Amino acid sequence: MMKRALVVLTSLAAISGGALVAAPAASAAGHGCAGNQINVYPVTERNTGAVISNIFLYYDASTGKNCASNVRTAAGGAGTAARISVSIWADGGSAVTDDGNYAQYAGPVATYARGKCINVKGVTYASGGRYGSVQRSGHCG
C-alpha cells in the first residue's frame, strides 16, 4: 500500500512539474499577473497599522509589462466584499485601475513600462469604516 501511494505521489509530482506545494491564497500570480514578482507593498490600516491587503507587483521581461493586484488579508476582511482598488502607471502615462467591491482582490492591472519608472497605488476598505492606502514609485528600467 505504501509503495502504491509513493507511485501516485511521484506521478503527481511529475505531472505538476515536481511541485507538490500548495499555492498560497494571496499569490498575485494566481490572480492573472505574468512574469516574476518584484515587490510586495503592504497596505496598512490608518489607525492600527494592521496589514489589510498587499499589492503584489510583477514584471514580465518578455512583454515589458508590469502587473499588480491588491489582495486582501484576513485582517482586511478576506472573503467579505468591500471596496478595494489597485492602479498602475508608467511615468508620463495614464493609470490603469480596477476599483470595486471584491471579497478577495482587485486587479490584475498592467501597463507597458520598459525603460520607464512605474507607480502603483492601492486603497483597501475593511469592516467598521477602516481603510488604508499606499502609493509607491520605482522599479525604473
Side-chain angles (χ1 to χ4, degrees):
M1 185 64 127
M2 183 67 126
K3 185 175 179 182
R4 181 176 176 177
L6 183 59
V7 169
V8 170
L9 286 176
T10 304
S11 298
L12 287 174
I15 292 168
S16 67
L20 288 177
V21 179
S27 169
H31 301 110
C33 287
N36 295 313
Q37 183 179 320
I38 58 173
N39 221 325
V40 177
Y41 300 111
V43 178
T44 57
E45 198 274 327
R46 64 186 175 96
N47 292 323
T48 66
V51 176
I52 56 177
S53 68
N54 288 291
I55 298 173
F56 290 87
L57 179 62
Y58 280 68
Y59 179 68
D60 186 340
S62 67
T63 63
K65 287 189 176 184
N66 286 89
C67 180
S69 291
N70 188 3
V71 182
R72 288 188 186 283
T73 64
T80 302
R83 188 169 177 196
I84 186 169
S85 69
V86 64
S87 300
I88 191 168
W89 66 97
D91 282 350
S94 298
V96 179
T97 301
D98 183 24
D99 182 346
N101 288 319
Y102 304 121
Q104 299 298 329
Y105 63 93
V109 291
T111 190
Y112 180 82
R114 189 167 294 180
K116 298 180 181 184
C117 298
I118 57 134
N119 307 278
V120 293
K121 180 179 181 179
V123 179
T124 304
Y125 290 84
S127 64
R130 299 178 306 130
Y131 73 92
S133 65
V134 67
Q135 182 172 331
R136 295 286 186 261
S137 299
H139 296 288
C140 304

